[in-house]
Amino acid sequence: DTGVSQNPRHKITKRGQNVTFRCDPISEHNRLYWYRQTLGQGPEFLTYFQNEAQLEKSRLLSDRFSAERPKGSFSTLEIQRTEQGDSAMYLCASSSFRAQGAGNTIYFGEGSWLTVV
Amino acid sequence: GDSVTQMEGPVTLSEEAFLTINCTYTATGYPSLFWYVQYPGEGLQLLLKATKADDKGSNKGFEATYRKETTSFHLEKGSVQVSDSAVYFCALRKWYGTGANNLFFGTGTRLTVIP
């Protein structure tokens, strides 16, 4: 079983540019999550999908952020008009709905580092 | 609201020392509790978990017991190794209600083990 795959791993962009990150979850995992982690902090929830449906969005997800999972497999997270405050690591994670309850494991990718200059 | 509070780091220990990283939580209902570890430059890996009160999670010599009466889930290891140097995150996940499908993390505790 391959793990959660994210790319690019690192992205440096100028303020005002758009960036897009891609996440490939563990195969057959129908839940996919995006988190953001800034230096010295724990990850913060951004949004989550069950199959292709985006079921929950955090207040952290401003209107410059959009996430999609068009076929219920891979997902993209796009940030428009980037700001320096968007600099962070963006983590993708996945889990299986078939494993019932809050104890089922959420598996994380290695993250995509974004630096906005 | 739901939250996780971890002891502040950084923590520096000598090899073979005993480790405790404190974690307490606030949550409605009965959450599941987790410890994740993050090695330098990498994503998060699940270290151990406990899904109900008095459960003990264990893995790679690390242990944590779900204490409902003290709302705690402290991480312990009897003898740390240099390879345990990483950032450790305590997290909770609820069965139902707002935010039931995601993890709430603490701020992390950086552990450095010196030879």
Side-chain angles (χ1 to χ4, degrees), chain A residues 4-45:
Chain A
V4 178
S5 176
Q6 294 186 243
N7 67 80
R9 293 291 313 280
H10 301 273
K11 179 74 176 177
I12 300 174
T13 191
K14 291 184 178 179
R15 190 176 53 183
Q17 298 295 304
N18 299 345
V19 296
T20 299
F21 299 110
R22 175 179 168 126
C23 172
D24 289 90
I26 293 172
S27 59
E28 299 185 356
H29 275 190
N30 51 1
R31 286 186 171 169
L32 186 147
Y33 311 79
W34 285 99
Y35 286 78
R36 182 175 72 184
Q37 185 181 15
T38 53
L39 281 175
Q41 298 298 314
E44 296 172 294
F45 171 75

Side-chain angles (χ1 to χ4, degrees), chain B residues 9-106:
Chain B
V11 174
T12 302
L13 295 173
S14 297
E15 207 165 21
E16 299 183 4
F18 183 84
L19 169 72
T20 300
I21 300 178
N22 290 340
C23 171
T24 57
Y25 68 90
T26 301
T28 54
Y30 302 96
S32 292
L33 301 173
F34 304 81
W35 278 99
Y36 279 82
V37 59
Q38 187 172 37
Y39 297 102
E42 298 185 10
L44 292 130
Q45 300 175 24
L46 178 67
L47 181 59
L48 55 83
K49 68 180 184 183
T51 58
K52 61 183 188 296
D54 300 325
D55 268 4
K56 178 186 282 188
S58 61
N59 186 26
K60 300 181 181 179
F62 291 89
E63 292 183 340
T65 301
Y66 188 160
R67 301 286 188 202
K68 185 170 180 292
E69 63 275 14
T70 53
T71 62
S72 65
F73 193 54
H74 304 320
L75 182 68
E76 296 183 335
K77 186 175 186 183
S79 176
V80 293
Q81 306 300 312
V82 172
S83 58
D84 294 327
S85 298
V87 181
Y88 292 82
F89 292 94
C90 185
L92 70 82
R93 189 178 184 196
K94 297 192 303 185
W95 284 78
Y96 58 87
T98 303
N101 292 302
N102 66 74
L103 289 160
F104 291 90
F105 286 88

